[in-house]
Amino acid sequence: MRAPEIAITAKTPVWWRLLALLVVAGVVVFAIDRWRAPAAPAPPVAGQHAYGPRSYAEALAATSAAVALGRDRVARGPHEWLNQEVLARALLRRARLTGSFDDLAGADAAVTQGLADAPPGAGPVLTGAIAALAVHRLAPVEGLLRRFDAAAVPNDAGDRAEAAALYGDLAFYSGRYADAATAYARGARLENGGSAAVRQAMLAQARGDLAATDTALRRAIGPAPGRQGHATLLLQRGGVALAAGRWADATAL
């Protein structure tokens, strides 16, 4: 039996709409942040996340530099699908910061070109699925994920975990909560990082289970990807506390 969807409407309490938006946004943060090349910062202080951009301006400058590098690569090799994928990922990261429709359209165009140029069994299919979900275009996602499953070269565990989670996202946004739970659990078995926990929190929130939502967010905080991911998770936990009427906890978080 399918779990009932929670319809977010103009009559939905503001705190519940805020919580829904925060948790769903967290999935995008973790999915896109998986693409970052690891930096070499000093180890974070225990219980803190002392790496990553220190401000919005610093984050925007870094993503803009990545976009410029991606465009340079495409200019040098416009029909090499990997170059198109690098550009698409950079544009998606920047769109997350700016909300730019131009960046989203540019990412879509780069992925489309990359898929057209790639030989059978290759191409930016996982990036294409993430880009499609980022603009809530569900129709092409399953086909792209099937292409990922049929890749000529076996994908690593991290990418397979993300693909399983994307199957879960597709089920979640289609209202098939039981299927989403199964897919998220499969992804967590492959790579039990912050992305898996955030998605499980999103599902628990949609089912109205605030306690399970907070438990999953607590799990996600451990492997959070730096300052921005950590801050996002604290905001999400604050939204849960607000929804539960724990005003002091919400304020502190």
Side-chain angles (χ1 to χ4, degrees), residues 61-92:
T63 56
S64 293
V67 169
L69 177 61
R71 285 181 172 149
D72 183 61
R73 290 184 60 164
V74 167
R76 293 170 183 271
H79 295 293
E80 296 180 18
W81 68 262
L82 185 57
N83 291 343
Q84 296 286 355
E85 182 172 41
V86 168
L87 175 59
R89 291 177 174 186
L91 287 166
L92 284 170

PDB file of all heavy atoms in Angstrom, residues 61-92:
ATOM      1  N   ALA A  61      33.027  32.394  -6.148  1.00  0.00           N
ATOM      2  CA  ALA A  61      34.263  32.548  -6.921  1.00  0.00           C
ATOM      3  C   ALA A  61      34.820  31.184  -7.334  1.00  0.00           C
ATOM      4  O   ALA A  61      35.281  31.006  -8.470  1.00  0.00           O
ATOM      5  CB  ALA A  61      35.294  33.326  -6.112  1.00  0.00           C
ATOM      6  N   ALA A  62      34.781  30.224  -6.422  1.00  0.00           N
ATOM      7  CA  ALA A  62      35.308  28.890  -6.724  1.00  0.00           C
ATOM      8  C   ALA A  62      34.489  28.208  -7.818  1.00  0.00           C
ATOM      9  O   ALA A  62      35.035  27.601  -8.746  1.00  0.00           O
ATOM     10  CB  ALA A  62      35.323  28.034  -5.463  1.00  0.00           C
ATOM     11  N   THR A  63      33.150  28.299  -7.714  1.00  0.00           N
ATOM     12  CA  THR A  63      32.314  27.652  -8.734  1.00  0.00           C
ATOM     13  C   THR A  63      32.440  28.365 -10.078  1.00  0.00           C
ATOM     14  O   THR A  63      32.429  27.721 -11.127  1.00  0.00           O
ATOM     15  CB  THR A  63      30.843  27.611  -8.304  1.00  0.00           C
ATOM     16  OG1 THR A  63      30.382  28.937  -8.017  1.00  0.00           O
ATOM     17  CG2 THR A  63      30.653  26.738  -7.084  1.00  0.00           C
ATOM     18  N   SER A  64      32.576  29.688 -10.058  1.00  0.00           N
ATOM     19  CA  SER A  64      32.741  30.420 -11.316  1.00  0.00           C
ATOM     20  C   SER A  64      34.058  30.053 -11.989  1.00  0.00           C
ATOM     21  O   SER A  64      34.127  29.946 -13.228  1.00  0.00           O
ATOM     22  CB  SER A  64      32.659  31.927 -11.067  1.00  0.00           C
ATOM     23  OG  SER A  64      31.353  32.299 -10.657  1.00  0.00           O
ATOM     24  N   ALA A  65      35.099  29.844 -11.195  1.00  0.00           N
ATOM     25  CA  ALA A  65      36.372  29.399 -11.752  1.00  0.00           C
ATOM     26  C   ALA A  65      36.229  28.017 -12.380  1.00  0.00           C
ATOM     27  O   ALA A  65      36.797  27.747 -13.459  1.00  0.00           O
ATOM     28  CB  ALA A  65      37.443  29.383 -10.667  1.00  0.00           C
ATOM     29  N   ALA A  66      35.452  27.147 -11.737  1.00  0.00           N
ATOM     30  CA  ALA A  66      35.232  25.807 -12.287  1.00  0.00           C
ATOM     31  C   ALA A  66      34.441  25.879 -13.590  1.00  0.00           C
ATOM     32  O   ALA A  66      34.699  25.127 -14.537  1.00  0.00           O
ATOM     33  CB  ALA A  66      34.500  24.940 -11.269  1.00  0.00           C
ATOM     34  N   VAL A  67      33.457  26.788 -13.654  1.00  0.00           N
ATOM     35  CA  VAL A  67      32.696  26.971 -14.889  1.00  0.00           C
ATOM     36  C   VAL A  67      33.612  27.459 -16.011  1.00  0.00           C
ATOM     37  O   VAL A  67      33.552  26.967 -17.146  1.00  0.00           O
ATOM     38  CB  VAL A  67      31.533  27.965 -14.671  1.00  0.00           C
ATOM     39  CG1 VAL A  67      30.908  28.380 -16.009  1.00  0.00           C
ATOM     40  CG2 VAL A  67      30.466  27.347 -13.779  1.00  0.00           C
ATOM     41  N   ALA A  68      34.482  28.428 -15.706  1.00  0.00           N
ATOM     42  CA  ALA A  68      35.402  28.944 -16.713  1.00  0.00           C
ATOM     43  C   ALA A  68      36.332  27.842 -17.226  1.00  0.00           C
ATOM     44  O   ALA A  68      36.589  27.736 -18.436  1.00  0.00           O
ATOM     45  CB  ALA A  68      36.220  30.103 -16.133  1.00  0.00           C
ATOM     46  N   LEU A  69      36.821  26.998 -16.309  1.00  0.00           N
ATOM     47  CA  LEU A  69      37.679  25.885 -16.712  1.00  0.00           C
ATOM     48  C   LEU A  69      36.901  24.905 -17.587  1.00  0.00           C
ATOM     49  O   LEU A  69      37.407  24.416 -18.606  1.00  0.00           O
ATOM     50  CB  LEU A  69      38.216  25.171 -15.472  1.00  0.00           C
ATOM     51  CG  LEU A  69      39.086  23.941 -15.726  1.00  0.00           C
ATOM     52  CD1 LEU A  69      40.332  24.314 -16.524  1.00  0.00           C
ATOM     53  CD2 LEU A  69      39.479  23.287 -14.403  1.00  0.00           C
ATOM     54  N   GLY A  70      35.648  24.631 -17.203  1.00  0.00           N
ATOM     55  CA  GLY A  70      34.830  23.732 -18.005  1.00  0.00           C
ATOM     56  C   GLY A  70      34.591  24.267 -19.406  1.00  0.00           C
ATOM     57  O   GLY A  70      34.650  23.518 -20.396  1.00  0.00           O
ATOM     58  N   ARG A  71      34.328  25.550 -19.498  1.00  0.00           N
ATOM     59  CA  ARG A  71      34.105  26.149 -20.824  1.00  0.00           C
ATOM     60  C   ARG A  71      35.372  26.118 -21.670  1.00  0.00           C
ATOM     61  O   ARG A  71      35.315  25.916 -22.897  1.00  0.00           O
ATOM     62  CB  ARG A  71      33.587  27.577 -20.657  1.00  0.00           C
ATOM     63  CG  ARG A  71      32.128  27.606 -20.217  1.00  0.00           C
ATOM     64  CD  ARG A  71      31.595  29.011 -20.059  1.00  0.00           C
ATOM     65  NE  ARG A  71      30.152  28.966 -19.835  1.00  0.00           N
ATOM     66  CZ  ARG A  71      29.469  29.841 -19.117  1.00  0.00           C
ATOM     67  NH1 ARG A  71      30.107  30.869 -18.541  1.00  0.00           N
ATOM     68  NH2 ARG A  71      28.160  29.730 -18.953  1.00  0.00           N
ATOM     69  N   ASP A  72      36.517  26.310 -21.020  1.00  0.00           N
ATOM     70  CA  ASP A  72      37.777  26.233 -21.749  1.00  0.00           C
ATOM     71  C   ASP A  72      38.002  24.829 -22.282  1.00  0.00           C
ATOM     72  O   ASP A  72      38.431  24.642 -23.432  1.00  0.00           O
ATOM     73  CB  ASP A  72      38.918  26.647 -20.824  1.00  0.00           C
ATOM     74  CG  ASP A  72      40.267  26.656 -21.534  1.00  0.00           C
ATOM     75  OD1 ASP A  72      40.418  27.418 -22.504  1.00  0.00           O
ATOM     76  OD2 ASP A  72      41.160  25.886 -21.121  1.00  0.00           O
ATOM     77  N   ARG A  73      37.685  23.830 -21.463  1.00  0.00           N
ATOM     78  CA  ARG A  73      37.839  22.436 -21.916  1.00  0.00           C
ATOM     79  C   ARG A  73      36.925  22.138 -23.095  1.00  0.00           C
ATOM     80  O   ARG A  73      37.330  21.484 -24.063  1.00  0.00           O
ATOM     81  CB  ARG A  73      37.559  21.476 -20.758  1.00  0.00           C
ATOM     82  CG  ARG A  73      38.623  21.483 -19.679  1.00  0.00           C
ATOM     83  CD  ARG A  73      38.363  20.460 -18.604  1.00  0.00           C
ATOM     84  NE  ARG A  73      38.324  19.092 -19.137  1.00  0.00           N
ATOM     85  CZ  ARG A  73      38.424  17.994 -18.396  1.00  0.00           C
ATOM     86  NH1 ARG A  73      38.586  18.114 -17.077  1.00  0.00           N
ATOM     87  NH2 ARG A  73      38.397  16.804 -18.941  1.00  0.00           N
ATOM     88  N   VAL A  74      35.685  22.627 -23.012  1.00  0.00           N
ATOM     89  CA  VAL A  74      34.747  22.392 -24.112  1.00  0.00           C
ATOM     90  C   VAL A  74      35.216  23.090 -25.381  1.00  0.00           C
ATOM     91  O   VAL A  74      35.111  22.545 -26.489  1.00  0.00           O
ATOM     92  CB  VAL A  74      33.326  22.854 -23.717  1.00  0.00           C
ATOM     93  CG1 VAL A  74      32.412  22.910 -24.934  1.00  0.00           C
ATOM     94  CG2 VAL A  74      32.744  21.923 -22.669  1.00  0.00           C
ATOM     95  N   ALA A  75      35.755  24.295 -25.235  1.00  0.00           N
ATOM     96  CA  ALA A  75      36.256  25.023 -26.407  1.00  0.00           C
ATOM     97  C   ALA A  75      37.379  24.254 -27.093  1.00  0.00           C
ATOM     98  O   ALA A  75      37.504  24.268 -28.327  1.00  0.00           O
ATOM     99  CB  ALA A  75      36.728  26.413 -25.997  1.00  0.00           C
ATOM    100  N   ARG A  76      38.201  23.571 -26.291  1.00  0.00           N
ATOM    101  CA  ARG A  76      39.329  22.820 -26.843  1.00  0.00           C
ATOM    102  C   ARG A  76      38.907  21.455 -27.395  1.00  0.00           C
ATOM    103  O   ARG A  76      39.587  20.906 -28.262  1.00  0.00           O
ATOM    104  CB  ARG A  76      40.401  22.634 -25.767  1.00  0.00           C
ATOM    105  CG  ARG A  76      41.077  23.933 -25.335  1.00  0.00           C
ATOM    106  CD  ARG A  76      41.949  23.732 -24.096  1.00  0.00           C
ATOM    107  NE  ARG A  76      42.530  24.971 -23.632  1.00  0.00           N
ATOM    108  CZ  ARG A  76      43.697  25.459 -24.041  1.00  0.00           C
ATOM    109  NH1 ARG A  76      44.404  24.785 -24.930  1.00  0.00           N
ATOM    110  NH2 ARG A  76      44.158  26.593 -23.564  1.00  0.00           N
ATOM    111  N   GLY A  77      37.831  20.909 -26.847  1.00  0.00           N
ATOM    112  CA  GLY A  77      37.368  19.605 -27.308  1.00  0.00           C
ATOM    113  C   GLY A  77      35.854  19.511 -27.222  1.00  0.00           C
ATOM    114  O   GLY A  77      35.317  18.837 -26.330  1.00  0.00           O
ATOM    115  N   PRO A  78      35.122  20.208 -28.113  1.00  0.00           N
ATOM    116  CA  PRO A  78      33.669  20.317 -27.986  1.00  0.00           C
ATOM    117  C   PRO A  78      32.917  19.004 -28.135  1.00  0.00           C
ATOM    118  O   PRO A  78      31.763  18.900 -27.703  1.00  0.00           O
ATOM    119  CB  PRO A  78      33.294  21.304 -29.101  1.00  0.00           C
ATOM    120  CG  PRO A  78      34.425  21.237 -30.076  1.00  0.00           C
ATOM    121  CD  PRO A  78      35.644  20.960 -29.267  1.00  0.00           C
ATOM    122  N   HIS A  79      33.518  18.018 -28.747  1.00  0.00           N
ATOM    123  CA  HIS A  79      32.816  16.752 -28.957  1.00  0.00           C
ATOM    124  C   HIS A  79      33.382  15.620 -28.089  1.00  0.00           C
ATOM    125  O   HIS A  79      33.154  14.440 -28.376  1.00  0.00           O
ATOM    126  CB  HIS A  79      32.844  16.374 -30.435  1.00  0.00           C
ATOM    127  CG  HIS A  79      32.074  17.344 -31.287  1.00  0.00           C
ATOM    128  ND1 HIS A  79      30.702  17.474 -31.207  1.00  0.00           N
ATOM    129  CD2 HIS A  79      32.497  18.259 -32.196  1.00  0.00           C
ATOM    130  CE1 HIS A  79      30.302  18.410 -32.042  1.00  0.00           C
ATOM    131  NE2 HIS A  79      31.372  18.902 -32.657  1.00  0.00           N
ATOM    132  N   GLU A  80      34.124  15.989 -27.048  1.00  0.00           N
ATOM    133  CA  GLU A  80      34.554  15.008 -26.056  1.00  0.00           C
ATOM    134  C   GLU A  80      33.555  15.055 -24.903  1.00  0.00           C
ATOM    135  O   GLU A  80      33.465  16.056 -24.192  1.00  0.00           O
ATOM    136  CB  GLU A  80      35.971  15.327 -25.579  1.00  0.00           C
ATOM    137  CG  GLU A  80      37.011  15.226 -26.686  1.00  0.00           C
ATOM    138  CD  GLU A  80      38.420  15.546 -26.201  1.00  0.00           C
ATOM    139  OE1 GLU A  80      38.641  15.506 -24.970  1.00  0.00           O
ATOM    140  OE2 GLU A  80      39.279  15.846 -27.041  1.00  0.00           O
ATOM    141  N   TRP A  81      32.831  13.971 -24.714  1.00  0.00           N
ATOM    142  CA  TRP A  81      31.701  14.012 -23.782  1.00  0.00           C
ATOM    143  C   TRP A  81      32.132  14.303 -22.347  1.00  0.00           C
ATOM    144  O   TRP A  81      31.384  14.936 -21.586  1.00  0.00           O
ATOM    145  CB  TRP A  81      30.896  12.720 -23.849  1.00  0.00           C
ATOM    146  CG  TRP A  81      31.564  11.468 -23.335  1.00  0.00           C
ATOM    147  CD1 TRP A  81      32.202  10.520 -24.070  1.00  0.00           C
ATOM    148  CD2 TRP A  81      31.652  11.040 -21.968  1.00  0.00           C
ATOM    149  NE1 TRP A  81      32.678   9.532 -23.251  1.00  0.00           N
ATOM    150  CE2 TRP A  81      32.353   9.804 -21.956  1.00  0.00           C
ATOM    151  CE3 TRP A  81      31.196  11.558 -20.754  1.00  0.00           C
ATOM    152  CZ2 TRP A  81      32.613   9.101 -20.780  1.00  0.00           C
ATOM    153  CZ3 TRP A  81      31.454  10.854 -19.578  1.00  0.00           C
ATOM    154  CH2 TRP A  81      32.154   9.653 -19.595  1.00  0.00           C
ATOM    155  N   LEU A  82      33.336  13.899 -21.967  1.00  0.00           N
ATOM    156  CA  LEU A  82      33.789  14.155 -20.597  1.00  0.00           C
ATOM    157  C   LEU A  82      33.935  15.660 -20.345  1.00  0.00           C
ATOM    158  O   LEU A  82      33.633  16.147 -19.242  1.00  0.00           O
ATOM    159  CB  LEU A  82      35.106  13.433 -20.336  1.00  0.00           C
ATOM    160  CG  LEU A  82      35.634  13.515 -18.894  1.00  0.00           C
ATOM    161  CD1 LEU A  82      34.614  12.967 -17.903  1.00  0.00           C
ATOM    162  CD2 LEU A  82      36.950  12.769 -18.771  1.00  0.00           C
ATOM    163  N   ASN A  83      34.384  16.403 -21.356  1.00  0.00           N
ATOM    164  CA  ASN A  83      34.485  17.848 -21.203  1.00  0.00           C
ATOM    165  C   ASN A  83      33.105  18.467 -20.976  1.00  0.00           C
ATOM    166  O   ASN A  83      32.946  19.384 -20.156  1.00  0.00           O
ATOM    167  CB  ASN A  83      35.132  18.476 -22.441  1.00  0.00           C
ATOM    168  CG  ASN A  83      36.605  18.114 -22.569  1.00  0.00           C
ATOM    169  OD1 ASN A  83      37.232  17.666 -21.611  1.00  0.00           O
ATOM    170  ND2 ASN A  83      37.161  18.309 -23.757  1.00  0.00           N
ATOM    171  N   GLN A  84      32.128  17.982 -21.698  1.00  0.00           N
ATOM    172  CA  GLN A  84      30.768  18.489 -21.529  1.00  0.00           C
ATOM    173  C   GLN A  84      30.240  18.156 -20.130  1.00  0.00           C
ATOM    174  O   GLN A  84      29.553  18.971 -19.501  1.00  0.00           O
ATOM    175  CB  GLN A  84      29.840  17.886 -22.597  1.00  0.00           C
ATOM    176  CG  GLN A  84      30.170  18.261 -24.029  1.00  0.00           C
ATOM    177  CD  GLN A  84      29.800  19.699 -24.376  1.00  0.00           C
ATOM    178  OE1 GLN A  84      29.206  20.425 -23.573  1.00  0.00           O
ATOM    179  NE2 GLN A  84      30.138  20.118 -25.588  1.00  0.00           N
ATOM    180  N   GLU A  85      30.595  16.993 -19.625  1.00  0.00           N
ATOM    181  CA  GLU A  85      30.149  16.616 -18.287  1.00  0.00           C
ATOM    182  C   GLU A  85      30.797  17.497 -17.219  1.00  0.00           C
ATOM    183  O   GLU A  85      30.131  17.924 -16.266  1.00  0.00           O
ATOM    184  CB  GLU A  85      30.457  15.149 -18.004  1.00  0.00           C
ATOM    185  CG  GLU A  85      29.959  14.707 -16.628  1.00  0.00           C
ATOM    186  CD  GLU A  85      30.092  13.217 -16.405  1.00  0.00           C
ATOM    187  OE1 GLU A  85      31.135  12.644 -16.796  1.00  0.00           O
ATOM    188  OE2 GLU A  85      29.159  12.620 -15.848  1.00  0.00           O
ATOM    189  N   VAL A  86      32.090  17.785 -17.368  1.00  0.00           N
ATOM    190  CA  VAL A  86      32.773  18.666 -16.420  1.00  0.00           C
ATOM    191  C   VAL A  86      32.089  20.029 -16.375  1.00  0.00           C
ATOM    192  O   VAL A  86      31.854  20.600 -15.303  1.00  0.00           O
ATOM    193  CB  VAL A  86      34.263  18.807 -16.801  1.00  0.00           C
ATOM    194  CG1 VAL A  86      34.924  19.944 -16.022  1.00  0.00           C
ATOM    195  CG2 VAL A  86      35.001  17.495 -16.539  1.00  0.00           C
ATOM    196  N   LEU A  87      31.741  20.562 -17.536  1.00  0.00           N
ATOM    197  CA  LEU A  87      31.059  21.862 -17.588  1.00  0.00           C
ATOM    198  C   LEU A  87      29.675  21.774 -16.955  1.00  0.00           C
ATOM    199  O   LEU A  87      29.291  22.662 -16.182  1.00  0.00           O
ATOM    200  CB  LEU A  87      30.953  22.331 -19.038  1.00  0.00           C
ATOM    201  CG  LEU A  87      30.154  23.623 -19.261  1.00  0.00           C
ATOM    202  CD1 LEU A  87      30.764  24.780 -18.485  1.00  0.00           C
ATOM    203  CD2 LEU A  87      30.080  23.948 -20.755  1.00  0.00           C
ATOM    204  N   ALA A  88      28.941  20.718 -17.251  1.00  0.00           N
ATOM    205  CA  ALA A  88      27.587  20.577 -16.695  1.00  0.00           C
ATOM    206  C   ALA A  88      27.626  20.519 -15.171  1.00  0.00           C
ATOM    207  O   ALA A  88      26.813  21.166 -14.495  1.00  0.00           O
ATOM    208  CB  ALA A  88      26.923  19.322 -17.250  1.00  0.00           C
ATOM    209  N   ARG A  89      28.571  19.783 -14.624  1.00  0.00           N
ATOM    210  CA  ARG A  89      28.666  19.677 -13.169  1.00  0.00           C
ATOM    211  C   ARG A  89      28.996  21.029 -12.529  1.00  0.00           C
ATOM    212  O   ARG A  89      28.420  21.402 -11.501  1.00  0.00           O
ATOM    213  CB  ARG A  89      29.733  18.646 -12.790  1.00  0.00           C
ATOM    214  CG  ARG A  89      29.349  17.224 -13.131  1.00  0.00           C
ATOM    215  CD  ARG A  89      30.476  16.263 -12.794  1.00  0.00           C
ATOM    216  NE  ARG A  89      30.068  14.875 -12.978  1.00  0.00           N
ATOM    217  CZ  ARG A  89      30.817  13.838 -12.657  1.00  0.00           C
ATOM    218  NH1 ARG A  89      32.011  14.036 -12.127  1.00  0.00           N
ATOM    219  NH2 ARG A  89      30.379  12.617 -12.851  1.00  0.00           N
ATOM    220  N   ALA A  90      29.914  21.759 -13.154  1.00  0.00           N
ATOM    221  CA  ALA A  90      30.268  23.073 -12.617  1.00  0.00           C
ATOM    222  C   ALA A  90      29.081  24.021 -12.664  1.00  0.00           C
ATOM    223  O   ALA A  90      28.832  24.783 -11.715  1.00  0.00           O
ATOM    224  CB  ALA A  90      31.450  23.643 -13.403  1.00  0.00           C
ATOM    225  N   LEU A  91      28.323  23.999 -13.743  1.00  0.00           N
ATOM    226  CA  LEU A  91      27.153  24.863 -13.863  1.00  0.00           C
ATOM    227  C   LEU A  91      26.077  24.494 -12.849  1.00  0.00           C
ATOM    228  O   LEU A  91      25.416  25.376 -12.284  1.00  0.00           O
ATOM    229  CB  LEU A  91      26.595  24.792 -15.291  1.00  0.00           C
ATOM    230  CG  LEU A  91      27.429  25.515 -16.358  1.00  0.00           C
ATOM    231  CD1 LEU A  91      27.001  25.094 -17.752  1.00  0.00           C
ATOM    232  CD2 LEU A  91      27.300  27.034 -16.207  1.00  0.00           C
ATOM    233  N   LEU A  92      25.908  23.208 -12.592  1.00  0.00           N
ATOM    234  CA  LEU A  92      24.932  22.785 -11.584  1.00  0.00           C
ATOM    235  C   LEU A  92      25.343  23.241 -10.195  1.00  0.00           C
ATOM    236  O   LEU A  92      24.501  23.662  -9.394  1.00  0.00           O
ATOM    237  CB  LEU A  92      24.765  21.263 -11.619  1.00  0.00           C
ATOM    238  CG  LEU A  92      23.935  20.703 -12.770  1.00  0.00           C
ATOM    239  CD1 LEU A  92      24.050  19.180 -12.811  1.00  0.00           C
ATOM    240  CD2 LEU A  92      22.476  21.117 -12.655  1.00  0.00           C
TER     241      LEU A  92
END
